[in-house]
Amino acid sequence: MALEITDSSFQETVLKSDKPVLVDFWAVWCGPCRTLGPIIEEVAADFDGKAVVGKVDVDNNQEISMQYGIRNIPTVLIFKNGEVVDKLVGVAPKDVIAQKLSAHL
């Protein structure tokens, strides 16, 4: 299951992770985000133990959303060694997301 990542847990969960981290920036009111949600959960299950998969609610965590310039949601960022290494904006199929994450394992 995807982790809930907050402004206060972001540094520990994402930036200090020894595994690649996929972060889905989303909001409850966002239709496309609700479409992407189950896909992110499937990716989280598929990559369990190999990568960290989490979600940031942009309404409740504005600090981290602003820091990474999140203007459109859903936005998926992939981090490795604390750096953004890939980005997807909008809804993407599971195989596209999985392929991008696999490239950083």
Side-chain angles (χ1 to χ4, degrees), residues 15-93:
L15 302 182
K16 292 185 178 178
S17 177
D18 58 351
K19 297 179 179 133
V21 184
L22 181 148
V23 181
D24 172 24
F25 289 85
W26 72 290
V28 174
W29 48 264
C30 165
C33 299
R34 288 197 301 271
T35 301
L36 186 62
I39 297 169
I40 296 297
E41 292 298 333
E42 286 181 34
V43 170
D46 292 351
F47 284 85
D48 188 35
K50 295 181 271 187
V52 176
V53 176
K55 298 171 74 75
V56 172
D57 182 329
V58 297
D59 289 335
N60 297 331
N61 300 283
Q62 295 180 359
E63 185 180 310
I64 208 69
S65 302
M66 284 180 13
Q67 184 178 335
Y68 286 94
I70 305 302
R71 302 201 190 303
N72 300 307
I73 52 173
T75 292
V76 173
L77 298 181
I78 299 174
F79 292 81
K80 187 168 186 178
N81 301 321
E83 299 290 323
V84 176
V85 293
D86 213 335
K87 177 180 184 175
L88 281 162
V89 177
V91 177

